[in-house]
Amino acid sequence: MTAEHPTNWRKPTRSSTGNACVEVGRLADGAAVRDTKNRDAGHLTTSRAQWTDFIAAVKTNRFD
Protein backbone atom coordinates (compact mmCIF):
# COMPACT_ATOMS: atom_id res chain seq x y z
CA MET A 1 0.00 0.00 0.00
CA THR A 2 1.09 3.55 -0.55
CA ALA A 3 1.58 6.20 2.11
CA GLU A 4 -1.65 7.97 1.17
CA HIS A 5 -3.80 9.32 3.97
CA PRO A 6 -7.18 7.68 4.57
CA THR A 7 -10.25 9.89 4.19
CA ASN A 8 -13.87 9.77 5.25
CA TRP A 9 -13.26 8.01 8.59
CA ARG A 10 -16.46 6.48 9.96
CA LYS A 11 -17.45 4.15 12.76
CA PRO A 12 -20.29 1.62 12.91
CA THR A 13 -23.73 3.10 13.43
CA ARG A 14 -24.37 0.54 16.18
CA SER A 15 -21.61 2.05 18.29
CA SER A 16 -23.60 5.34 18.55
CA THR A 17 -21.71 7.61 20.96
CA GLY A 18 -19.37 4.94 22.35
CA ASN A 19 -15.63 4.98 21.78
CA ALA A 20 -14.93 1.26 22.16
CA CYS A 21 -14.87 0.42 18.47
CA VAL A 22 -12.88 0.82 15.29
CA GLU A 23 -13.19 3.34 12.49
CA VAL A 24 -12.78 2.63 8.79
CA GLY A 25 -11.20 5.10 6.41
CA ARG A 26 -11.28 5.15 2.64
CA LEU A 27 -8.18 4.63 0.48
CA ALA A 28 -7.96 4.81 -3.31
CA ASP A 29 -7.53 1.03 -3.53
CA GLY A 30 -8.62 -0.30 -0.15
CA ALA A 31 -9.43 0.63 3.41
CA ALA A 32 -7.75 1.66 6.64
CA VAL A 33 -8.80 0.67 10.16
CA ARG A 34 -7.97 2.44 13.44
CA ASP A 35 -8.95 2.30 17.12
CA THR A 36 -11.32 5.09 18.19
CA LYS A 37 -9.73 5.17 21.66
CA ASN A 38 -6.25 5.80 20.28
CA ARG A 39 -6.47 7.45 16.86
CA ASP A 40 -2.91 8.77 17.12
CA ALA A 41 -1.53 5.21 17.27
CA GLY A 42 -1.91 4.88 13.51
CA HIS A 43 -3.94 2.57 11.33
CA LEU A 44 -3.80 -0.72 9.45
CA THR A 45 -4.35 -0.78 5.70
CA THR A 46 -5.80 -3.40 3.37
CA SER A 47 -6.11 -3.71 -0.37
CA ARG A 48 -9.54 -3.54 -1.97
CA ALA A 49 -9.53 -7.33 -2.51
CA GLN A 50 -8.58 -8.03 1.12
CA TRP A 51 -11.26 -5.66 2.42
CA THR A 52 -13.91 -7.18 0.15
CA ASP A 53 -13.01 -10.69 1.35
CA PHE A 54 -13.09 -9.57 4.99
CA ILE A 55 -16.53 -7.94 4.67
CA ALA A 56 -17.89 -11.03 2.90
CA ALA A 57 -16.60 -13.22 5.74
CA VAL A 58 -18.22 -10.97 8.37
CA LYS A 59 -21.56 -11.01 6.53
CA THR A 60 -21.55 -14.81 6.36
CA ASN A 61 -20.73 -15.18 10.09
CA ARG A 62 -17.38 -16.79 9.39
CA PHE A 63 -15.92 -15.34 12.60
CA ASP A 64 -18.72 -16.46 14.94
Side-chain angles (χ1 to χ4, degrees):
M1 300 289 318
T2 63
E4 73 177 292
H5 295 284
T7 60
N8 195 31
W9 286 103
R10 61 197 184 282
K11 61 181 179 175
T13 55
R14 289 187 179 185
S15 68
S16 61
T17 60
N19 280 338
C21 59
V22 296
E23 293 177 308
V24 177
R26 191 172 291 195
L27 295 171
D29 186 38
V33 181
R34 69 181 177 189
D35 184 348
T36 58
K37 292 184 288 185
N38 192 2
R39 292 179 177 127
D40 293 332
H43 58 270
L44 302 173
T45 60
T46 67
S47 68
R48 184 178 306 273
Q50 291 169 324
W51 188 249
T52 300
D53 290 346
F54 173 73
I55 294 301
V58 170
K59 288 182 176 181
T60 58
N61 300 318
R62 186 170 168 205
F63 301 114
D64 286 349

